Amino acid sequence: MKIFYTAAFKRDFQPLPKEIQFFTEEKLALFLNNHQHPSLMIKKMEGLKNIWEGRITHHYRFTFQTEGDAYL
């Protein structure tokens, strides 16, 4: 699996508190190693094709899109 960051992600990541940046990096590393880890709480976003959501903290989420035959 590969992660490609959008320009919007890069722009929005920079002003986040350092603690949230750290948690984001940890969670994305976990996502790469085990996208089914329970703490990520991955779920399909309703009404959007191939768009998924995962949890960084109680208040922060990340979204991602799958391509091709990729699925979770």
Side-chain angles (χ1 to χ4, degrees):
M1 179 185 309
K2 293 181 182 179
I3 293 180
F4 298 96
Y5 299 99
T6 63
F9 176 89
K10 293 174 187 177
R11 179 195 66 232
D12 295 342
F13 182 78
Q14 292 305 313
L16 290 174
K18 294 297 180 196
E19 181 179 40
I20 299 303
Q21 289 182 12
F22 175 78
F23 289 145
T24 301
E25 291 168 354
E26 279 192 330
K27 291 290 183 146
L28 292 177
L30 179 60
F31 177 72
L32 282 173
N33 289 319
N34 180 6
H35 66 268
Q36 295 180 337
H37 194 279
S39 72
L40 296 171
M41 300 183 75
I42 300 293
K43 67 177 185 176
K44 176 91 171 67
M45 294 185 72
E46 290 186 35
L48 298 171
K49 185 177 180 179
N50 297 329
I51 305 292
W52 299 74
E53 176 184 84
R55 182 176 283 205
I56 302 295
T57 70
H58 183 69
H59 297 289
Y60 288 88
R61 307 285 188 272
F62 67 95
T63 58
F64 62 96
Q65 179 176 3
T66 59
E67 291 187 7
D69 292 335
Y71 66 93
L72 297 176

